[in-house]
């Protein structure tokens, strides 16, 4: 239960920080992407999701490059 409580706090903080984003690209480990998508839908933000992709661990540079490449299309 304690772990679930920490996850709820984490996802709430993520959603708060991206609430004003025009486009949301979700990528990360399998369960995490699905959980974030579900929570965005619950907060009526799922219409802003432009892509969902499962990926393994990435460095900050890899993340930045992935986002740049995706939005340059």
């Amino acid at each position: 239960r304690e772990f679930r409580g920490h996850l709820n706090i984490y996802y709430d903080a993520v959603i708060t920080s991206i609430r004003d984003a025009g486009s949301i690209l979700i990528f990360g480990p399998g369960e995490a992407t699905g959980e974030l998508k579900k929570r965005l839908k619950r907060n009526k933000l799922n219409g802003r999701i432009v892509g969902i992709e499962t990926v393994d661990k990435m460095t900050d540079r890899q993340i930045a490059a992935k986002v740049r490449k995706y939005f340059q299309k």
Side-chain angles (χ1 to χ4, degrees), residues 44-55:
K44 297 181 180 28
L45 297 172
N46 59 318
R48 298 181 194 175
I49 298 172
V50 295
I52 300 174
E53 194 174 326
T54 301
V55 297

Side-chain angles (χ1 to χ4, degrees), residues 29-70:
E31 280 187 47
T33 57
E35 184 65 24
L36 182 56
K37 179 182 176 184
K38 181 172 72 174
R39 289 170 185 259
L40 288 170
K41 183 176 183 179
R42 201 179 308 151
N43 283 272
K44 297 181 180 28
L45 297 172
N46 59 318
R48 298 181 194 175
I49 298 172
V50 295
I52 300 174
E53 194 174 326
T54 301
V55 297
D56 288 329
K57 291 182 181 179
M58 299 174 76
T59 66
D60 289 344
R61 286 184 176 192
Q62 289 172 319
I63 292 169
K66 182 170 203 52
V67 171
R68 261 192 311 274
K69 182 178 178 182
Y70 186 88

Side-chain angles (χ1 to χ4, degrees), residues 6-25:
H6 289 297
L7 279 178
N8 287 334
I9 292 167
Y10 172 76
Y11 283 114
D12 288 345
V14 169
I15 290 170
T16 297
S17 68
I18 63 174
R19 183 168 297 286
D20 295 329
S23 301
I24 301 170
L25 174 62

